[in-house]
Amino acid sequence: MNRLTRFLEEKFMPVAARVGEQRHLQAIRDGIVMTIPLVIIGSLFLILAYLPIPGYEFFMEGLFGGNWQTNLLYPVGATFDLLAIFVAFGIAYRLAERYKIDPLSTSAISIAGFLLVTPYKISFTPEGMDQVFDVAGIPLALTGSKGMFVAIIVAIVSTEIYRLFVKKNIVIKMPDGVPPAVAKSFASLIPGFAVVLTLWLIRLLLQVTPFGDMHNIVGEILGKPLSLLGGSLIGAIIAVIIAQMLWVSGIHGQALVWGIMSPVWLSLVDENRLAYSAGNEIPNVVNTQFMDIFYSVGGSGTTLGLALLLFFRSQSKQMKQLGKLAIGPGLFNINEPIIFGMPMIMNPIMMIPFILVPVVVVTVSYFAMDLGIVAKTAGIMVPWTTPAPIGGFLATGGKISGAALQLFNVILSAALYYPFFKIWDNQKRKEEGNLDVVNESTGKSKTA
């Protein structure tokens, strides 16, 4: 155990801290976080369009007409189908903030760059014909989750080019009397031209290759391998272990790991959303909602079961008080009171279940969905603070099995935490007893 603690302190923690402070990863994480409210809003309309209530469709059709479902899905398209554009804006904005350059101009140029490398052609075959026709237009698939990796690359590249020109002072400077907004617009002219020129040349070069465009080459080289790994049970387990090890080292594990994996998991959410909307079989088990709703019951480490143990089963005064403080936030998947109050950080006893319990929960949840015992998540982005079992019910498209799995995970985590909880609780009670003896011998208050 001392060897593990020494490894975390001396080897793992310094590397993790450097990775967590890397500005590009921070910008990716924060830029994607900017899109979450929009995706949740779109998900609310998706839920309303497919509420699993008998007679609901006939009721809505009688109330709003035959096109009620199509009309309800407009906001879904305006959020999910433009996800890559929001990401291109958000990442460039956050990275520009860190470089202390004009974030608004940088973000606008990033969006222009993303649209520049995106094919402006839609191919379709009219019904009853064999001939394929091409019309002008950007495919929604490429402005949605499928184009997210390209959006990330373009946002970073365009911001770095912009920063280079600003750093070298290759900008148009206006006289002091010119309004700041106008001055900033002219200052972005040369850096913006350099960004557009660079990405335009890249597009022309890729057109003469077998790939054809940036979306194809990024999808083949980066997107497919990451999706295969990130969408697998092994990928989920690796992500969980790294996140938990970061937590016990004192670093916000989910913020770092989720920041890296979000582009993969969000794209898998959208694949599920499209399949669910079309009435097809849902393809993916692992995605953002799987990790947020079924792994994070009670917070990182699946700690709602532990919060219940602290509240109902603690014998020591300290742990009993912690249980009272932790149970409320834990119901909404916030567990900082447990992580810092127990604590979990560098705790030689509790760090073992804190790392292993989520691995068991993720594995059980994966096979429950993969084998068809529990419904897969339906591409509906439910806020991670949604209490169990409501979160599981909504994330699976209104399926009771999703709610049941969340409740089962709470019971399972409580059972797995229990032996370690008892050791820690007994240790704290013994410390309090020793303190009472010391206080009695000195004539001071017995209060621990």
Side-chain angles (χ1 to χ4, degrees):
M1 186 57 64
N2 290 334
R3 189 176 299 174
L4 174 61
T5 304
R6 194 180 311 115
F7 167 76
L8 291 172
E9 288 179 338
E10 297 178 1
K11 304 294 184 182
F12 185 75
M13 187 174 176
V15 174
R18 285 196 295 271
V19 172
E21 293 170 359
Q22 212 284 326
R23 61 170 63 93
H24 296 98
L25 291 178
Q26 288 181 337
I28 292 172
R29 178 196 66 202
D30 296 343
I32 290 176
V33 166
M34 290 177 65
T35 70
I36 297 302
L38 293 170
V39 175
I40 291 174
I41 291 169
S43 296
L44 294 176
F45 284 90
L46 186 61
I47 292 172
L48 291 174
Y50 296 99
L51 272 177
I53 300 175
Y56 175 72
E57 293 185 15
F58 297 105
F59 170 77
M60 294 295 286
E61 185 174 345
L63 203 59
F64 298 108
N67 290 328
W68 70 271
Q69 197 170 57
T70 301
N71 295 336
L72 265 178
L73 291 175
Y74 288 150
V76 179
T79 51
F80 279 95
D81 290 340
L82 300 179
L83 197 59
I85 294 177
F86 302 142
V87 166
F89 178 92
I91 293 174
Y93 193 97
R94 293 306 187 197
L95 187 56
E97 283 185 327
R98 284 174 170 78
Y99 283 132
K100 301 189 185 307
I101 56 179
D102 181 20
L104 196 58
S105 298
T106 308
S107 301
I109 293 168
S110 173
I111 292 175
F114 172 75
L115 295 175
L116 177 59
V117 301
T118 301
Y120 194 72
K121 181 180 70 174
I122 299 175
S123 300
F124 75 102
T125 303
E127 187 176 352
M129 298 181 65
D130 296 329
Q131 186 176 356
V132 179
F133 292 88
D134 293 332
V135 296
I138 297 177
L140 285 178
L142 299 183
T143 59
S145 60
K146 190 176 179 181
M148 197 180 306
F149 288 109
V150 172
I152 292 170
I153 294 170
V154 168
I156 292 173
V157 169
S158 63
T159 305
E160 289 293 344
I161 295 173
Y162 191 103
R163 180 186 71 90
L164 178 64
F165 275 77
V166 172
K167 184 178 179 180
K168 299 293 184 181
N169 206 25
I170 308 175
V171 296
I172 297 175
K173 294 183 178 180
M174 302 298 289
D176 292 339
V178 175
V182 177
K184 286 182 179 180
S185 296
F186 276 92
S188 66
L189 185 58
I190 296 177
F193 178 79
V195 171
V196 171
L197 178 63
T198 301
L199 294 175
W200 175 62
L201 292 174
I202 291 174
R203 173 170 180 163
L204 294 180
L205 288 172
L206 290 176
Q207 281 182 179
V208 299
T209 69
F211 291 103
D213 59 68
M214 185 181 286
H215 288 270
N216 288 333
I217 191 170
V218 170
E220 289 293 327
I221 295 176
L222 187 61
K224 284 186 178 179
L226 284 176
S227 294
L228 288 173
L229 177 62
S232 68
L233 174 60
I234 297 299
I237 289 174
I238 291 172
V240 166
I241 291 174
I242 294 174
Q244 299 308 116
M245 290 182 69
L246 287 168
W247 268 119
V248 299
S249 301
I251 298 170
H252 196 305
Q254 265 187 284
L256 178 57
V257 176
W258 267 231
I260 296 172
M261 295 304 299
S262 282
V264 177
W265 288 339
L266 280 174
S267 66
L268 298 176
V269 167
D270 202 35
E271 287 181 14
N272 284 11
R273 191 260 311 180
L274 294 172
Y276 177 70
S277 300
N280 300 327
E281 182 180 353
I282 295 175
N284 305 302
V285 173
V286 179
N287 52 56
T288 301
Q289 284 296 272
F290 175 82
M291 301 301 290
D292 282 352
I293 300 301
F294 296 99
Y295 146 72
S296 300
V297 184
S300 298
T302 323
T303 55
L304 182 55
L306 178 58
L308 293 170
L309 290 175
L310 288 167
F311 186 78
F312 290 108
R313 303 290 296 176
S314 293
Q315 298 297 316
S316 74
K317 299 174 184 177
Q318 181 181 339
M319 291 300 101
K320 191 70 173 179
Q321 185 62 34
L322 178 61
K324 294 177 182 178
L325 295 173
I327 190 67
L331 292 173
F332 295 92
N333 306 318
I334 298 168
N335 65 346
E336 274 74 7
I338 289 178
I339 289 176
F340 298 106
M342 201 159 197
M344 293 297 191
I345 298 170
M346 292 302 173
N347 186 326
I349 296 174
M350 295 306 301
M351 72 166 59
I352 297 174
F354 191 62
I355 295 172
L356 295 183
V357 169
V359 173
V360 175
V361 167
V362 164
T363 304
V364 170
S365 299
Y366 180 91
F367 282 112
M369 291 186 178
D370 191 52
L371 296 173
I373 301 170
V374 174
K376 297 175 184 175
T377 56
I380 298 167
M381 285 292 288
V382 180
W384 61 270
T385 51
T386 306
I390 300 172
F393 178 78
L394 294 176
T396 53
K399 300 295 192 299
I400 296 297
S401 61
L405 179 59
Q406 266 199 310
L407 294 177
F408 177 80
N409 287 344
V410 174
I411 297 169
L412 176 63
S413 65
L416 295 173
Y417 270 115
Y418 185 76
F420 301 90
F421 155 76
K422 284 301 294 181
I423 293 172
W424 188 250
D425 187 48
N426 289 337
Q427 182 175 314
K428 290 298 173 183
R429 189 170 61 167
K430 187 181 295 183
E431 291 174 3
E432 292 167 358
N434 292 336
L435 183 59
D436 285 343
V437 171
V438 171
N439 287 336
E440 286 178 0
S441 66
T442 58
K444 295 181 181 179
S445 171
K446 294 183 182 182
T447 304

